[in-house]
Amino acid sequence: MIKGDMDAETVPYWEYSNEETEDKIYVYSDMVFLEEGKEYLFFLNENGAYLSPATVMEVDENGVVIPPWNMKIESELQARSDESLPVSLEDYLAEVQKNLE
């Protein structure tokens, strides 16, 4: 948690579903559906909903995330790439925190 109730043990949030009902089918582009046992970084609004599907990033076993291109950290290496490059979760959160101040 980088903002909000830093002592919270849990953070309630609204999660999209990939379930279908008889009368409704929703298709979400680029949606990451959370899987139990995996670690994620995501950004929520004050109501606990994702800011966008693109703001949900899986953290791999090495503590690395691949931010979407519009949320990437601007580094010299990143500036030369058309795609978002992997970055350590620690470095990414430090950059986000710096921009919140």
Side-chain angles (χ1 to χ4, degrees):
M1 177 101 68
I2 58 175
K3 191 174 178 183
D5 182 1
M6 302 302 236
D7 296 325
E9 289 187 29
T10 60
V11 177
Y13 66 94
W14 293 92
E15 184 178 355
Y16 292 95
S17 171
N18 59 355
E19 294 180 14
E20 299 178 11
T21 64
E22 286 184 28
D23 56 343
K24 295 179 185 171
I25 298 174
Y26 296 99
V27 177
Y28 301 103
S29 176
D30 299 326
M31 176 59 68
V32 174
F33 294 102
L34 306 183
E35 295 178 38
E36 191 172 337
K38 291 190 175 184
E39 188 174 341
Y40 297 89
L41 168 66
F42 48 97
F43 296 87
L44 304 173
N45 66 19
E46 61 275 358
N47 299 315
Y50 302 149
L51 295 180
S52 132
T55 66
V56 179
M57 296 170 252
E58 185 174 342
V59 181
D60 76 9
E61 64 276 355
N62 299 313
V64 172
V65 296
I66 302 176
W69 67 271
N70 59 342
M71 294 179 67
K72 63 187 181 182
I73 294 175
E74 290 298 329
S75 66
E76 184 179 333
L77 179 62
Q78 189 71 76
R80 288 184 273 147
S81 174
D82 290 337
E83 302 201 13
S84 193
L85 300 176
V87 61
S88 77
L89 179 61
E90 185 177 295
D91 289 348
Y92 190 75
L93 291 178
E95 190 70 22
V96 170
Q97 189 69 40
K98 187 168 52 172
N99 284 297
L100 290 174
E101 296 172 351

